[in-house]
Amino acid sequence: MQKNSFLIYHEYREHLKLLTDEQRGQLLMALIDYSEAGEFPKLDGITQMAFSFIRSQMDRDNEKYESRVAANRENGKKGGRPKKPKGNGENPKNPSVFHKTESNPKNPIKSNDKDNVKEKDINTLCKADTNALFERLWKAYPNKRGKGQVSDAKKRKIAEIGEEEMQRAMARYIEDLKQDDWRKPQNGSTFFNSGYVDYLDTNYEKPKAVVKKPTNNQFHNFEERDYDYDELEKHLFEQQIGRLKHGAN
């Protein structure tokens, strides 16, 4: 089922504040094109980064939507949601298994095997989510070098910080690079190992705008003018000849 809309979250405000009105308009049209037809736009650096962040969230929202549609379709085939079974008060969703022990066979130890399985699933899921989050951030970062040098521990640290704050940190870093033309983005391994720290919400200080002063010339900042030096030299030469003739008379 094709969706005819997509969600926009309040947390996008931090990313949009870094864009001009023109860039915001381009970003909105790019998101609509992607939602309708899956088209990838050609945008400038910081606008492309904002698009990547929002596109990742759109993809996750679409996956949830498709899963919900599929589940509803299956329930419809079965005649709707199954009724809860009537029983002797036991909870089929949380079965208890009793194991006899050699020391006390008449007093078995109650254990919950489902909880053990669930805990393993959560650990596996967390690792999968951590890797998926890192892949999304890596894809959005401009200098994709040294990916293998980012350890699992660093990826977990990034996951603890959260995707939204890491997106803001990257956007701030890219914006800072624009202050100096000679600066280039760090290798991805450098940024994701420690380079992002200064750009987190609690650490970041926006740099003050630098006003470039006009360069003084060698004549104490007098306004320079354009002269026809050949004509000026000819004029001075004529004046000198005139003085010589006047002296001779």
Side-chain angles (χ1 to χ4, degrees), residues 71 74-85 93:
E74 289 300 318
N75 289 335
K77 292 179 180 179
K78 297 176 182 178
R81 181 181 296 178
K83 298 181 179 180
K84 294 182 179 180
K93 293 183 179 181

Side-chain angles (χ1 to χ4, degrees), residues 137-163:
L137 294 174
W138 184 268
K139 188 174 182 180
Y141 189 75
N143 189 354
K144 300 172 178 59
R145 303 186 68 179
K147 184 177 182 180
Q149 299 175 25
V150 183
S151 65
D152 289 341
K154 293 294 184 180
K155 294 177 183 178
R156 287 195 297 270
K157 180 63 177 178
I158 290 172
E160 291 173 3
I161 294 170
E163 183 171 5

Side-chain angles (χ1 to χ4, degrees), residues 209-217 221:
V210 178
V211 179
K212 294 184 178 180
K213 296 181 180 180
T215 305
N216 294 339
N217 57 39
N221 206 31

Side-chain angles (χ1 to χ4, degrees), residues 23-218:
Q23 289 172 324
R24 291 168 189 161
Q26 293 173 349
L27 174 61
L28 176 59
M29 295 307 299
L31 292 172
I32 293 174
D33 291 340
Y34 179 75
S35 178
E36 287 182 339
E39 296 179 0
F40 286 84
K42 293 182 179 179
L43 302 168
D44 60 81
I46 191 169
T47 310
Q48 182 66 48
M49 179 170 289
F51 172 80
S52 298
F53 299 153
I54 299 176
R55 178 184 61 80
S56 297
Q57 183 62 52
M58 289 173 63
D59 291 343
R60 293 194 294 273
D61 290 342
N62 285 336
E63 289 176 3
K64 293 178 183 178
Y65 174 77
E66 293 296 337
S67 298
R68 187 164 62 249
V69 169
N72 291 340
R73 187 182 297 115
E74 289 300 318
N75 289 335
K77 292 179 180 179
K78 297 176 182 178
R81 181 181 296 178
K83 298 181 179 180
K84 294 182 179 180
K86 296 180 180 180
N88 54 4
E90 295 181 357
N91 186 359
K93 293 183 179 181
N94 190 19
S96 298
V97 180
F98 295 86
H99 301 284
K100 293 183 179 181
T101 63
E102 294 181 359
S103 59
N104 190 2
K106 294 183 179 181
N107 187 18
I109 299 174
K110 184 179 179 180
S111 66
N112 196 327
D113 286 349
K114 186 175 181 180
D115 285 347
N116 294 334
V117 174
K118 185 177 181 181
E119 183 177 356
K120 294 179 181 178
D121 290 342
I122 290 175
N123 291 334
T124 303
L125 182 62
C126 287
K127 184 175 182 181
D129 286 348
T130 297
N131 291 334
L133 184 151
F134 176 74
E135 289 296 329
R136 290 193 296 270
L137 294 174
W138 184 268
K139 188 174 182 180
Y141 189 75
N143 189 354
K144 300 172 178 59
R145 303 186 68 179
K147 184 177 182 180
Q149 299 175 25
V150 183
S151 65
D152 289 341
K154 293 294 184 180
K155 294 177 183 178
R156 287 195 297 270
K157 180 63 177 178
I158 290 172
E160 291 173 3
I161 294 170
E163 183 171 5
E164 296 301 326
E165 184 168 356
M166 285 298 300
Q167 290 172 352
R168 290 193 294 272
M170 277 200 290
R172 290 164 180 159
Y173 173 62
I174 298 301
E175 188 67 17
D176 272 6
L177 292 178
K178 294 182 179 180
Q179 303 298 322
D180 301 299
D181 295 338
W182 56 269
R183 293 179 63 191
K184 302 297 181 184
Q186 300 172 338
N187 287 351
S189 57
T190 303
F191 182 83
F192 288 109
N193 277 318
S194 61
Y196 63 84
V197 174
D198 289 339
Y199 297 91
L200 297 177
D201 293 348
T202 55
N203 302 333
Y204 181 67
E205 294 182 4
K206 191 172 183 178
K208 296 180 180 179
V210 178
V211 179
K212 294 184 178 180
K213 296 181 180 180
T215 305
N216 294 339
N217 57 39
Q218 58 182 334

